[in-house]
């Protein structure tokens, strides 16, 4: 279960950072009206209550009434029946409701970068990917560190999405993560000591990850 929790959280963090950073770069490339529309759509996703968003995603991927299976030609495929498909469905919902924070934060950081630096890189023949990897990413390292740590904390303790979309942890507990397991033990089975112990373990794991990442950022900053 610990491996499933760590793997699921890592996939959510990577997906959120990838989508958020890509759209942040896109915001700097489009005109004012498309930029405003994208920002409003992202803020709408961010402001949607978690239970509401999870319910809407369940409807979209419903095997009987949802439009996604019809568009993809999957027939009556049930996303919540299989372990990995259920995790994938929850992952998509988590990324959907989490990427706006990364997108807006990184976009603000990109706007603060002097345009002369980007123009000089473009004149030297650097591609967009090279500009991001060699110019923007190093300059945005503090911001990327903040959004990464925030995403790790949020995604490691995901509860509502998994509980709602998999019916409390999936068939025979195949989609259980530590947060949902702690809830089941503490409130469904009245094993409050076990539930509290799981919560303390999660706190220590998150603290270790956060401190390790901040130490790495500090070391990289000293090397620069």
């Amino acid at each position: 279960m610990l491996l499933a929790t760590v793997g699921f959280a890592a996939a959510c963090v990577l997906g959120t950072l990838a989508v958020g950073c890509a759209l942040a770069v896109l915001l700097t490339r489009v005109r004012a009206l498309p930029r405003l529309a994208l920002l409003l759509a992202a803020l709408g996703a961010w402001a949607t209550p978690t239970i509401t968003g999870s319910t809407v995603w369940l409807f979209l991927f419903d095997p009987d009434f949802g439009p996604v299976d019809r568009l993809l030609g999957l027939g009556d495929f049930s996303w919540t029946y299989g372990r990995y498909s259920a995790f994938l469905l929850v992952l998509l919902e988590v990324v959907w409701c989490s990427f706006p924070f990364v997108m807006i934060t990184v976009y603000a950081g990109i706007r603060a970068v002097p345009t002369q630096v980007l123009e000089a890189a473009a004149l030297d023949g650097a591609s967009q990917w090279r500009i991001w990897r060699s110019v923007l990413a190093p300059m945005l390292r503090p911001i990327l560190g903040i959004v990464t740590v925030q995403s790790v904390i949020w995604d490691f303790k995901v509860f509502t999405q998994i509980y709602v979309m998999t019916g409390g942890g999936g068939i025979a507990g195949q989609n259980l993560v530590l947060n949902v397991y702690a809830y089941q033990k503490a409130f469904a089975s009245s094993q409050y000591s076990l539930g509290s112990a799981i919560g303390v373990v999660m706190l220590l794991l998150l603290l270790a990850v956060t401190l390790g990442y901040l130490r790495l950022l500090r070391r990289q900053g000293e090397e620069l």
Side-chain angles (χ1 to χ4, degrees):
M1 189 177 303
L2 177 60
L3 292 178
T5 303
V6 173
F8 175 74
C12 289
V13 171
L14 292 176
T16 302
L17 292 177
V19 174
C21 291
L23 292 179
V25 175
L26 178 62
L27 285 176
T28 64
R29 299 287 188 269
V30 298
R31 296 180 180 273
L33 189 58
R35 184 187 307 125
L36 178 61
L38 181 56
L39 285 171
L40 291 177
L43 290 176
W46 196 13
T48 302
T50 307
I51 294 180
T52 303
S54 301
T55 304
V56 170
W57 274 76
L58 275 179
F59 169 76
L60 292 176
F61 287 84
D62 185 86
D64 297 321
F65 305 103
V68 174
D69 282 0
R70 297 179 182 178
L71 292 175
L72 297 178
L74 298 178
D76 56 352
F77 177 75
S78 178
W79 290 81
T80 58
Y81 184 79
R83 183 189 186 193
Y84 296 107
S85 61
F87 269 131
L88 176 61
L89 180 59
V90 178
L91 183 148
L92 292 175
E93 201 279 335
V94 171
V95 172
W96 173 77
C97 68
S98 301
F99 83 85
F101 170 75
V102 177
M103 182 188 75
I104 295 174
T105 305
V106 175
Y107 173 69
I110 294 176
R111 298 295 293 180
V113 175
T115 56
Q116 296 84 351
V117 176
L118 302 179
E119 291 175 355
L123 290 175
D124 289 338
S127 63
Q128 294 298 327
W129 168 246
R130 185 64 182 272
I131 292 176
W132 166 260
R133 184 171 61 88
S134 301
V135 180
L136 286 177
M139 299 183 71
L140 298 176
R141 184 173 293 142
I143 293 177
L144 293 176
I146 292 174
V147 297
T148 300
V149 171
Q150 287 275 28
S151 297
V152 168
I153 294 174
W154 289 343
D155 296 339
F156 190 79
K157 60 185 184 67
V158 165
F159 171 81
T160 306
Q161 290 93 332
I162 290 183
Y163 192 84
V164 172
M165 300 178 72
T166 65
I171 300 174
Q174 63 181 0
N175 297 112
L176 278 177
V177 293
L178 287 178
N179 217 9
V180 178
Y181 184 67
Y183 173 84
Q184 289 185 351
K185 292 301 178 183
F187 297 101
S189 302
S190 298
Q191 300 181 31
Y192 300 107
S193 58
L194 179 57
S196 300
I198 297 173
V200 172
V201 170
M202 293 180 62
L203 174 62
L204 294 176
L205 289 174
L206 286 175
L207 183 62
V209 171
T210 303
L211 292 178
Y213 192 83
L214 293 178
R215 183 179 180 182
L216 177 62
L217 288 179
R218 181 179 180 183
R219 183 180 304 173
Q220 292 177 348
E222 292 175 352
E223 292 177 354
L224 293 175

